[in-house]
PDB file of all heavy atoms in Angstrom:
ATOM      1  N   PHE B   9       1.867   3.795 -16.459  1.00 97.00           N
ATOM      2  CA  PHE B   9       2.479   4.011 -17.766  1.00 97.00           C
ATOM      3  C   PHE B   9       2.019   2.955 -18.773  1.00 97.00           C
ATOM      4  O   PHE B   9       1.792   3.252 -19.945  1.00 97.00           O
ATOM      5  CB  PHE B   9       4.011   3.995 -17.631  1.00 97.00           C
ATOM      6  CG  PHE B   9       4.732   4.171 -18.930  1.00 97.00           C
ATOM      7  CD1 PHE B   9       4.820   5.427 -19.528  1.00 97.00           C
ATOM      8  CD2 PHE B   9       5.309   3.085 -19.573  1.00 97.00           C
ATOM      9  CE1 PHE B   9       5.479   5.599 -20.736  1.00 97.00           C
ATOM     10  CE2 PHE B   9       5.974   3.248 -20.786  1.00 97.00           C
ATOM     11  CZ  PHE B   9       6.059   4.507 -21.374  1.00 97.00           C
ATOM     12  N   GLN B  10       1.859   1.727 -18.300  1.00 96.00           N
ATOM     13  CA  GLN B  10       1.459   0.638 -19.191  1.00 96.00           C
ATOM     14  C   GLN B  10      -0.063   0.471 -19.290  1.00 96.00           C
ATOM     15  O   GLN B  10      -0.534  -0.438 -19.974  1.00 96.00           O
ATOM     16  CB  GLN B  10       2.118  -0.670 -18.744  1.00 96.00           C
ATOM     17  CG  GLN B  10       3.625  -0.623 -18.914  1.00 96.00           C
ATOM     18  CD  GLN B  10       4.329  -1.894 -18.481  1.00 96.00           C
ATOM     19  OE1 GLN B  10       3.828  -2.672 -17.680  1.00 96.00           O
ATOM     20  NE2 GLN B  10       5.523  -2.108 -19.024  1.00 96.00           N
ATOM     21  N   GLY B  11      -0.805   1.329 -18.600  1.00 96.00           N
ATOM     22  CA  GLY B  11      -2.262   1.282 -18.685  1.00 96.00           C
ATOM     23  C   GLY B  11      -2.886   0.048 -18.061  1.00 96.00           C
ATOM     24  O   GLY B  11      -3.968  -0.376 -18.467  1.00 96.00           O
ATOM     25  N   GLU B  12      -2.241  -0.503 -17.055  1.00 96.00           N
ATOM     26  CA  GLU B  12      -2.735  -1.708 -16.384  1.00 96.00           C
ATOM     27  C   GLU B  12      -3.592  -1.305 -15.181  1.00 96.00           C
ATOM     28  O   GLU B  12      -3.111  -1.171 -14.056  1.00 96.00           O
ATOM     29  CB  GLU B  12      -1.561  -2.583 -15.938  1.00 96.00           C
ATOM     30  CG  GLU B  12      -0.713  -3.105 -17.075  1.00 96.00           C
ATOM     31  CD  GLU B  12      -1.396  -4.224 -17.855  1.00 96.00           C
ATOM     32  OE1 GLU B  12      -2.399  -4.800 -17.368  1.00 96.00           O
ATOM     33  OE2 GLU B  12      -0.916  -4.517 -18.958  1.00 96.00           O
ATOM     34  N   GLN B  13      -4.889  -1.116 -15.420  1.00 97.00           N
ATOM     35  CA  GLN B  13      -5.804  -0.617 -14.387  1.00 97.00           C
ATOM     36  C   GLN B  13      -5.887  -1.545 -13.168  1.00 97.00           C
ATOM     37  O   GLN B  13      -5.853  -1.090 -12.033  1.00 97.00           O
ATOM     38  CB  GLN B  13      -7.197  -0.413 -14.978  1.00 97.00           C
ATOM     39  CG  GLN B  13      -7.271   0.623 -16.076  1.00 97.00           C
ATOM     40  CD  GLN B  13      -6.999   2.019 -15.571  1.00 97.00           C
ATOM     41  OE1 GLN B  13      -7.330   2.375 -14.445  1.00 97.00           O
ATOM     42  NE2 GLN B  13      -6.379   2.840 -16.413  1.00 97.00           N
ATOM     43  N   GLY B  14      -6.030  -2.849 -13.414  1.00 97.00           N
ATOM     44  CA  GLY B  14      -6.138  -3.785 -12.299  1.00 97.00           C
ATOM     45  C   GLY B  14      -4.888  -3.809 -11.437  1.00 97.00           C
ATOM     46  O   GLY B  14      -4.966  -3.862 -10.211  1.00 97.00           O
ATOM     47  N   ALA B  15      -3.730  -3.764 -12.074  1.00 97.00           N
ATOM     48  CA  ALA B  15      -2.479  -3.730 -11.320  1.00 97.00           C
ATOM     49  C   ALA B  15      -2.362  -2.423 -10.540  1.00 97.00           C
ATOM     50  O   ALA B  15      -1.904  -2.427  -9.391  1.00 97.00           O
ATOM     51  CB  ALA B  15      -1.283  -3.904 -12.256  1.00 97.00           C
ATOM     52  N   GLN B  16      -2.781  -1.330 -11.149  1.00 97.00           N
ATOM     53  CA  GLN B  16      -2.758  -0.044 -10.435  1.00 97.00           C
ATOM     54  C   GLN B  16      -3.581  -0.152  -9.157  1.00 97.00           C
ATOM     55  O   GLN B  16      -3.143   0.280  -8.082  1.00 97.00           O
ATOM     56  CB  GLN B  16      -3.336   1.069 -11.302  1.00 97.00           C
ATOM     57  CG  GLN B  16      -2.459   1.502 -12.438  1.00 97.00           C
ATOM     58  CD  GLN B  16      -3.139   2.572 -13.278  1.00 97.00           C
ATOM     59  OE1 GLN B  16      -3.588   3.585 -12.750  1.00 97.00           O
ATOM     60  NE2 GLN B  16      -3.214   2.343 -14.584  1.00 97.00           N
ATOM     61  N   GLN B  17      -4.766  -0.722  -9.268  1.00 98.00           N
ATOM     62  CA  GLN B  17      -5.635  -0.858  -8.107  1.00 98.00           C
ATOM     63  C   GLN B  17      -4.998  -1.754  -7.043  1.00 98.00           C
ATOM     64  O   GLN B  17      -4.979  -1.414  -5.859  1.00 98.00           O
ATOM     65  CB  GLN B  17      -6.986  -1.428  -8.523  1.00 98.00           C
ATOM     66  CG  GLN B  17      -7.961  -1.543  -7.376  1.00 98.00           C
ATOM     67  CD  GLN B  17      -9.290  -2.093  -7.852  1.00 98.00           C
ATOM     68  OE1 GLN B  17      -9.351  -3.162  -8.459  1.00 98.00           O
ATOM     69  NE2 GLN B  17     -10.342  -1.345  -7.600  1.00 98.00           N
ATOM     70  N   SER B  18      -4.446  -2.874  -7.468  1.00 97.00           N
ATOM     71  CA  SER B  18      -3.823  -3.796  -6.526  1.00 97.00           C
ATOM     72  C   SER B  18      -2.639  -3.140  -5.813  1.00 97.00           C
ATOM     73  O   SER B  18      -2.493  -3.262  -4.591  1.00 97.00           O
ATOM     74  CB  SER B  18      -3.373  -5.060  -7.273  1.00 97.00           C
ATOM     75  OG  SER B  18      -2.966  -6.057  -6.384  1.00 97.00           O
ATOM     76  N   PHE B  19      -1.809  -2.436  -6.558  1.00 98.00           N
ATOM     77  CA  PHE B  19      -0.667  -1.741  -5.949  1.00 98.00           C
ATOM     78  C   PHE B  19      -1.129  -0.612  -5.031  1.00 98.00           C
ATOM     79  O   PHE B  19      -0.554  -0.400  -3.959  1.00 98.00           O
ATOM     80  CB  PHE B  19       0.282  -1.209  -7.021  1.00 98.00           C
ATOM     81  CG  PHE B  19       0.985  -2.273  -7.827  1.00 98.00           C
ATOM     82  CD1 PHE B  19       1.308  -2.039  -9.154  1.00 98.00           C
ATOM     83  CD2 PHE B  19       1.339  -3.497  -7.271  1.00 98.00           C
ATOM     84  CE1 PHE B  19       1.969  -3.005  -9.918  1.00 98.00           C
ATOM     85  CE2 PHE B  19       1.991  -4.478  -8.016  1.00 98.00           C
ATOM     86  CZ  PHE B  19       2.313  -4.226  -9.350  1.00 98.00           C
ATOM     87  N   HIS B  20      -2.166   0.114  -5.431  1.00 97.00           N
ATOM     88  CA  HIS B  20      -2.717   1.191  -4.590  1.00 97.00           C
ATOM     89  C   HIS B  20      -3.238   0.629  -3.270  1.00 97.00           C
ATOM     90  O   HIS B  20      -2.983   1.192  -2.198  1.00 97.00           O
ATOM     91  CB  HIS B  20      -3.827   1.936  -5.329  1.00 97.00           C
ATOM     92  CG  HIS B  20      -4.647   2.817  -4.457  1.00 97.00           C
ATOM     93  ND1 HIS B  20      -4.166   4.000  -3.931  1.00 97.00           N
ATOM     94  CD2 HIS B  20      -5.903   2.673  -3.988  1.00 97.00           C
ATOM     95  CE1 HIS B  20      -5.107   4.554  -3.175  1.00 97.00           C
ATOM     96  NE2 HIS B  20      -6.168   3.769  -3.194  1.00 97.00           N
ATOM     97  N   TYR B  21      -3.995  -0.476  -3.356  1.00 98.00           N
ATOM     98  CA  TYR B  21      -4.514  -1.091  -2.131  1.00 98.00           C
ATOM     99  C   TYR B  21      -3.369  -1.443  -1.184  1.00 98.00           C
ATOM    100  O   TYR B  21      -3.422  -1.153   0.013  1.00 98.00           O
ATOM    101  CB  TYR B  21      -5.285  -2.372  -2.454  1.00 98.00           C
ATOM    102  CG  TYR B  21      -6.638  -2.204  -3.085  1.00 98.00           C
ATOM    103  CD1 TYR B  21      -7.330  -3.316  -3.544  1.00 98.00           C
ATOM    104  CD2 TYR B  21      -7.252  -0.965  -3.236  1.00 98.00           C
ATOM    105  CE1 TYR B  21      -8.587  -3.214  -4.130  1.00 98.00           C
ATOM    106  CE2 TYR B  21      -8.498  -0.843  -3.829  1.00 98.00           C
ATOM    107  CZ  TYR B  21      -9.166  -1.982  -4.265  1.00 98.00           C
ATOM    108  OH  TYR B  21     -10.405  -1.881  -4.835  1.00 98.00           O
ATOM    109  N   ALA B  22      -2.340  -2.084  -1.708  1.00 97.00           N
ATOM    110  CA  ALA B  22      -1.219  -2.507  -0.865  1.00 97.00           C
ATOM    111  C   ALA B  22      -0.480  -1.308  -0.291  1.00 97.00           C
ATOM    112  O   ALA B  22      -0.198  -1.266   0.915  1.00 97.00           O
ATOM    113  CB  ALA B  22      -0.274  -3.394  -1.664  1.00 97.00           C
ATOM    114  N   LEU B  23      -0.185  -0.321  -1.125  1.00 97.00           N
ATOM    115  CA  LEU B  23       0.543   0.860  -0.657  1.00 97.00           C
ATOM    116  C   LEU B  23      -0.222   1.565   0.467  1.00 97.00           C
ATOM    117  O   LEU B  23       0.364   1.931   1.491  1.00 97.00           O
ATOM    118  CB  LEU B  23       0.790   1.828  -1.816  1.00 97.00           C
ATOM    119  CG  LEU B  23       1.471   3.153  -1.475  1.00 97.00           C
ATOM    120  CD1 LEU B  23       2.832   2.934  -0.835  1.00 97.00           C
ATOM    121  CD2 LEU B  23       1.606   4.008  -2.732  1.00 97.00           C
ATOM    122  N   SER B  24      -1.511   1.728   0.294  1.00 96.00           N
ATOM    123  CA  SER B  24      -2.328   2.391   1.325  1.00 96.00           C
ATOM    124  C   SER B  24      -2.299   1.607   2.633  1.00 96.00           C
ATOM    125  O   SER B  24      -2.236   2.199   3.719  1.00 96.00           O
ATOM    126  CB  SER B  24      -3.767   2.534   0.835  1.00 96.00           C
ATOM    127  OG  SER B  24      -3.818   3.333  -0.323  1.00 96.00           O
ATOM    128  N   SER B  25      -2.343   0.296   2.537  1.00 96.00           N
ATOM    129  CA  SER B  25      -2.328  -0.547   3.733  1.00 96.00           C
ATOM    130  C   SER B  25      -0.973  -0.539   4.422  1.00 96.00           C
ATOM    131  O   SER B  25      -0.894  -0.526   5.654  1.00 96.00           O
ATOM    132  CB  SER B  25      -2.684  -1.985   3.352  1.00 96.00           C
ATOM    133  OG  SER B  25      -3.954  -2.041   2.771  1.00 96.00           O
ATOM    134  N   GLU B  26       0.092  -0.563   3.634  1.00 96.00           N
ATOM    135  CA  GLU B  26       1.434  -0.635   4.217  1.00 96.00           C
ATOM    136  C   GLU B  26       1.727   0.593   5.071  1.00 96.00           C
ATOM    137  O   GLU B  26       2.455   0.501   6.060  1.00 96.00           O
ATOM    138  CB  GLU B  26       2.505  -0.805   3.140  1.00 96.00           C
ATOM    139  CG  GLU B  26       2.304  -1.950   2.167  1.00 96.00           C
ATOM    140  CD  GLU B  26       2.131  -3.343   2.754  1.00 96.00           C
ATOM    141  OE1 GLU B  26       1.950  -3.506   3.974  1.00 96.00           O
ATOM    142  OE2 GLU B  26       2.179  -4.288   1.969  1.00 96.00           O
ATOM    143  N   ARG B  27       1.175   1.727   4.706  1.00 95.00           N
ATOM    144  CA  ARG B  27       1.358   2.936   5.532  1.00 95.00           C
ATOM    145  C   ARG B  27       0.801   2.717   6.933  1.00 95.00           C
ATOM    146  O   ARG B  27       1.420   3.112   7.931  1.00 95.00           O
ATOM    147  CB  ARG B  27       0.688   4.133   4.859  1.00 95.00           C
ATOM    148  CG  ARG B  27       1.374   4.589   3.605  1.00 95.00           C
ATOM    149  CD  ARG B  27       0.658   5.775   2.978  1.00 95.00           C
ATOM    150  NE  ARG B  27       1.333   6.205   1.768  1.00 95.00           N
ATOM    151  CZ  ARG B  27       0.745   6.336   0.582  1.00 95.00           C
ATOM    152  NH1 ARG B  27      -0.549   6.102   0.452  1.00 95.00           N
ATOM    153  NH2 ARG B  27       1.442   6.722  -0.460  1.00 95.00           N
ATOM    154  N   GLU B  28      -0.367   2.116   7.000  1.00 96.00           N
ATOM    155  CA  GLU B  28      -0.983   1.822   8.302  1.00 96.00           C
ATOM    156  C   GLU B  28      -0.164   0.787   9.064  1.00 96.00           C
ATOM    157  O   GLU B  28       0.024   0.899  10.268  1.00 96.00           O
ATOM    158  CB  GLU B  28      -2.417   1.327   8.113  1.00 96.00           C
ATOM    159  CG  GLU B  28      -3.349   2.343   7.502  1.00 96.00           C
ATOM    160  CD  GLU B  28      -3.499   3.606   8.321  1.00 96.00           C
ATOM    161  OE1 GLU B  28      -3.542   3.516   9.575  1.00 96.00           O
ATOM    162  OE2 GLU B  28      -3.559   4.695   7.719  1.00 96.00           O
ATOM    163  N   HIS B  29       0.313  -0.226   8.348  1.00 97.00           N
ATOM    164  CA  HIS B  29       1.099  -1.278   9.004  1.00 97.00           C
ATOM    165  C   HIS B  29       2.359  -0.703   9.651  1.00 97.00           C
ATOM    166  O   HIS B  29       2.673  -1.026  10.803  1.00 97.00           O
ATOM    167  CB  HIS B  29       1.491  -2.363   8.000  1.00 97.00           C
ATOM    168  CG  HIS B  29       0.325  -3.075   7.396  1.00 97.00           C
ATOM    169  ND1 HIS B  29       0.460  -3.897   6.302  1.00 97.00           N
ATOM    170  CD2 HIS B  29      -0.982  -3.088   7.726  1.00 97.00           C
ATOM    171  CE1 HIS B  29      -0.727  -4.386   5.984  1.00 97.00           C
ATOM    172  NE2 HIS B  29      -1.620  -3.903   6.828  1.00 97.00           N
ATOM    173  N   ALA B  30       3.073   0.142   8.928  1.00 97.00           N
ATOM    174  CA  ALA B  30       4.292   0.743   9.480  1.00 97.00           C
ATOM    175  C   ALA B  30       3.978   1.540  10.736  1.00 97.00           C
ATOM    176  O   ALA B  30       4.689   1.435  11.743  1.00 97.00           O
ATOM    177  CB  ALA B  30       4.975   1.624   8.432  1.00 97.00           C
ATOM    178  N   ALA B  31       2.915   2.333  10.696  1.00 97.00           N
ATOM    179  CA  ALA B  31       2.536   3.148  11.855  1.00 97.00           C
ATOM    180  C   ALA B  31       2.159   2.269  13.046  1.00 97.00           C
ATOM    181  O   ALA B  31       2.538   2.564  14.195  1.00 97.00           O
ATOM    182  CB  ALA B  31       1.375   4.081  11.489  1.00 97.00           C
ATOM    183  N   MET B  32       1.456   1.187  12.785  1.00 98.00           N
ATOM    184  CA  MET B  32       1.053   0.292  13.877  1.00 98.00           C
ATOM    185  C   MET B  32       2.271  -0.414  14.481  1.00 98.00           C
ATOM    186  O   MET B  32       2.361  -0.579  15.700  1.00 98.00           O
ATOM    187  CB  MET B  32       0.021  -0.715  13.366  1.00 98.00           C
ATOM    188  CG  MET B  32      -1.289  -0.051  12.956  1.00 98.00           C
ATOM    189  SD  MET B  32      -2.439  -1.210  12.189  1.00 98.00           S
ATOM    190  CE  MET B  32      -3.437  -1.596  13.634  1.00 98.00           C
ATOM    191  N   PHE B  33       3.213  -0.827  13.641  1.00 98.00           N
ATOM    192  CA  PHE B  33       4.433  -1.450  14.149  1.00 98.00           C
ATOM    193  C   PHE B  33       5.247  -0.458  14.984  1.00 98.00           C
ATOM    194  O   PHE B  33       5.811  -0.816  16.019  1.00 98.00           O
ATOM    195  CB  PHE B  33       5.293  -1.990  13.008  1.00 98.00           C
ATOM    196  CG  PHE B  33       4.813  -3.278  12.403  1.00 98.00           C
ATOM    197  CD1 PHE B  33       5.095  -3.563  11.072  1.00 98.00           C
ATOM    198  CD2 PHE B  33       4.110  -4.226  13.135  1.00 98.00           C
ATOM    199  CE1 PHE B  33       4.686  -4.766  10.495  1.00 98.00           C
ATOM    200  CE2 PHE B  33       3.686  -5.423  12.568  1.00 98.00           C
ATOM    201  CZ  PHE B  33       3.979  -5.695  11.246  1.00 98.00           C
ATOM    202  N   LYS B  34       5.337   0.796  14.532  1.00 98.00           N
ATOM    203  CA  LYS B  34       6.078   1.814  15.287  1.00 98.00           C
ATOM    204  C   LYS B  34       5.460   2.026  16.661  1.00 98.00           C
ATOM    205  O   LYS B  34       6.177   2.097  17.674  1.00 98.00           O
ATOM    206  CB  LYS B  34       6.122   3.131  14.513  1.00 98.00           C
ATOM    207  CG  LYS B  34       7.048   3.102  13.327  1.00 98.00           C
ATOM    208  CD  LYS B  34       6.983   4.396  12.538  1.00 98.00           C
ATOM    209  CE  LYS B  34       7.820   4.305  11.269  1.00 98.00           C
ATOM    210  NZ  LYS B  34       7.686   5.509  10.425  1.00 98.00           N
ATOM    211  N   LYS B  35       4.147   2.128  16.716  1.00 97.00           N
ATOM    212  CA  LYS B  35       3.447   2.314  17.991  1.00 97.00           C
ATOM    213  C   LYS B  35       3.700   1.124  18.914  1.00 97.00           C
ATOM    214  O   LYS B  35       4.024   1.301  20.089  1.00 97.00           O
ATOM    215  CB  LYS B  35       1.945   2.486  17.742  1.00 97.00           C
ATOM    216  CG  LYS B  35       1.115   2.594  18.997  1.00 97.00           C
ATOM    217  CD  LYS B  35      -0.365   2.689  18.683  1.00 97.00           C
ATOM    218  CE  LYS B  35      -1.195   2.617  19.949  1.00 97.00           C
ATOM    219  NZ  LYS B  35      -2.631   2.586  19.659  1.00 97.00           N
ATOM    220  N   ALA B  36       3.599  -0.079  18.371  1.00 98.00           N
ATOM    221  CA  ALA B  36       3.802  -1.285  19.180  1.00 98.00           C
ATOM    222  C   ALA B  36       5.233  -1.359  19.698  1.00 98.00           C
ATOM    223  O   ALA B  36       5.466  -1.753  20.847  1.00 98.00           O
ATOM    224  CB  ALA B  36       3.466  -2.524  18.351  1.00 98.00           C
ATOM    225  N   ARG B  37       6.183  -0.958  18.875  1.00 98.00           N
ATOM    226  CA  ARG B  37       7.589  -1.036  19.296  1.00 98.00           C
ATOM    227  C   ARG B  37       7.864  -0.105  20.475  1.00 98.00           C
ATOM    228  O   ARG B  37       8.669  -0.445  21.364  1.00 98.00           O
ATOM    229  CB  ARG B  37       8.534  -0.719  18.136  1.00 98.00           C
ATOM    230  CG  ARG B  37       9.987  -0.933  18.554  1.00 98.00           C
ATOM    231  CD  ARG B  37      10.913  -1.133  17.387  1.00 98.00           C
ATOM    232  NE  ARG B  37      12.224  -1.495  17.902  1.00 98.00           N
ATOM    233  CZ  ARG B  37      13.319  -0.765  17.743  1.00 98.00           C
ATOM    234  NH1 ARG B  37      13.287   0.352  17.046  1.00 98.00           N
ATOM    235  NH2 ARG B  37      14.461  -1.160  18.251  1.00 98.00           N
TER     236      ARG B  37
END
């Protein structure tokens, strides 16, 4: 909404990674 391209990219990178992290933690548990 605020047109912050770099922040969008940084948030996208983190969001994409966190999905993998949750799945890996679930498998390990």
Side-chain angles (χ1 to χ4, degrees):
F9 178 76
Q10 294 180 337
E12 297 286 345
Q13 297 293 327
Q16 288 178 53
Q17 182 179 55
S18 189
F19 294 148
H20 166 72
Y21 287 173
L23 177 59
S24 298
S25 300
E26 307 305 11
R27 291 180 180 126
E28 296 300 321
H29 298 168
M32 294 174 97
F33 283 152
K34 287 176 185 175
K35 176 183 173 185
R37 185 159 187 243

